Amino acid sequence: MALERPSRRTTLALLVAGGLSLLVGRVVDAFGPFRSDGGERWPADDTVSLPAPRDQSNVSVEDAIDSRRSRRTYSDRPLDRSELGQVLWAAQGVTDQVDDHRAAPSAGALYPLELYVVIGSPGVEGLDPGVYRYRPEGHELGQGRTGDLQAELRAATLDQEFVDDAPADIVICGVDERTTGKYGDRGRQRFVPMEAGHAGENLYLQAEALGLATVSVGAFDDDRVREVLEAPSTQRPLYVFPVGERVGVTDE
Ligand SMILES: Cc1cc2nc3c(=O)[nH]c(=O)nc-3n(C[C@H](O)[C@H](O)[C@H](O)COP(=O)(O)O)c2cc1C
C-alpha cells in the first residue's frame, strides 16, 4: 500500500514541534529539578545545608597516607554534620569555584559520580535517618527515602555487618553516559571506575585526618544497592564506604 506523502504544511508543523520539544527538553534539563542524564531525580526544594568545608589540617598528607587503614569498627557516637560534609567534600566537593572543578580528577571534567549517604539511627546529628544525595555545587544534601535503611544496605552488601554498625554509609555511583558520550566504552570500562577510586582514596585520607574510620566495600549486589537508594537504572553503584568515629581515638 502506497503511503501518502505529508503536505509541506504538515512537514513544517512537524519540524517546528520537534524543534520546540528539543528546546523545552534542554531548558528543563538545565533548570528543572529532574535531569535526563541519570543525575538528580529528587525535587530540589528538600535541601539540607552542610557546614563549609575546611581546607586546613594539622595532619599532613604523608601522615594520612602512612596511617590509612581499612577500619571496620566504629564508636557509637553519631557523626556531626561538619564531619560528614568534610568527607563528602574530600571525595567530590567543588574546589575551583571558577571552573567548578572538584576534589577528585575527572576525565574531560565530565563528573560522572553521584554520592549518596545512607544515614542510620543514631547517625548524623541533626539529620533524620534516610537516604540523601550530595550536591557538590551547593555543598548540601538533597533528601530522598526516609527511615533507617542501613539493615537493607547491609543485606545488599552481602551482609557485611559493619555497613549497619557505622552511623552512615556513603555510596558512590557512576553515571556512565556522562562519560561515554565523549570517550565511548573506554569511559564505562575504565574512566568511571577509576574516578570512583580517586574519590574513594580522598575519602579514606580525609577520614584518617579527622580521626574517623572507613573501609571501601566493593562486594555487593548492584541492583539491591540501587533499590535502597532509589537510584535510576542509569546509575551504577561502585563503592560503599561506612563512616564513623574511630574506636579509641579522640579528636585531634
Ligand atoms: C576494590 C576494593 C574492594 C573492596 N571490597 C571490600 C569489601 O567488600 N569488604 C571489605 O571488608 N573490604 C573491602 N576492601 C578493603 C580491602 O580488604 C583492604 O583495602 C585490604 O585488606 C588492605 O587493607 P588496608 O586498606 O587497611 O591497607 C576492598 C578494597 C578494594 C580496593
Side-chain angles (χ1 to χ4, degrees):
M1 189 176 80
L3 284 177
E4 211 177 300
R5 284 185 63 176
S7 69
R8 281 176 63 184
R9 184 179 284 187
T10 313
T11 310
L12 190 69
L14 283 172
L15 279 173
V16 170
L20 267 176
S21 73
L22 204 70
L23 188 71
V24 168
R26 295 225 160 167
V27 171
V28 168
D29 265 7
F31 300 108
F34 302 102
R35 282 166 45 171
S36 59
D37 66 352
E40 177 65 278
R41 278 196 349 140
W42 297 330
D45 50 2
D46 219 349
T47 298
V48 183
S49 61
L50 293 164
R54 67 181 208 208
D55 58 6
Q56 303 287 323
S57 167
N58 296 331
V59 181
S60 69
V61 174
E62 292 83 356
D63 279 343
I65 291 172
D66 191 47
S67 58
R68 184 208 62 80
R69 286 277 72 83
S70 294
R71 303 177 194 278
R72 299 173 181 83
T73 38
Y74 314 97
S75 86
D76 291 337
R77 176 178 74 77
L79 293 173
D80 59 45
R81 271 198 216 194
S82 62
E83 290 172 317
L84 175 65
Q86 194 69 32
V87 288
L88 288 168
W89 171 83
Q92 204 55 196
V94 175
T95 48
D96 176 344
Q97 307 298 336
V98 178
D99 294 326
D100 283 344
H101 283 196
R102 300 190 187 172
S106 174
L110 292 167
Y111 300 108
L113 303 182
E114 291 285 333
L115 268 57
Y116 293 82
V117 192
V118 179
I119 295 180
S121 174
V124 179
E125 260 167 21
L127 293 179
D128 292 333
V131 179
Y132 296 77
R133 193 183 74 84
Y134 180 51
R135 295 196 183 110
E137 315 79 35
H139 190 56
E140 60 197 11
L141 298 171
Q143 167 115 47
R145 288 182 76 186
T146 53
D148 188 345
L149 298 156
Q150 280 190 307
E152 257 184 61
L153 188 63
R154 167 186 171 157
T157 51
L158 315 188
D159 214 24
Q160 300 190 65
E161 69 279 1
F162 41 87
V163 168
D164 196 5
D165 293 345
D169 296 280
I170 295 174
V171 185
I172 301 181
C173 292
V175 186
D176 294 330
E177 64 192 51
R178 288 188 200 154
T179 299
T180 52
K182 183 168 183 184
Y183 297 109
D185 206 42
R186 194 174 184 82
R188 186 187 62 79
Q189 286 190 6
R190 296 192 182 206
F191 295 173
V192 174
M194 282 172 175
E195 292 188 32
H198 292 304
E201 183 68 6
N202 277 10
L203 197 159
Y204 255 120
L205 296 179
Q206 180 67 83
E208 202 64 39
L210 292 174
L212 301 177
T214 192
V215 52
S216 54
V217 172
F220 50 75
D221 180 318
D222 293 5
D223 289 337
R224 289 180 75 182
V225 170
R226 203 184 284 115
E227 273 166 30
V228 173
L229 306 175
E230 284 190 335
S233 58
T234 44
Q235 296 194 11
R236 181 161 56 128
L238 295 167
Y239 252 152
V240 175
F241 284 89
V243 182
E245 186 188 39
R246 207 184 303 162
V247 173
V249 173
T250 52
D251 285 345
E252 335 273 339

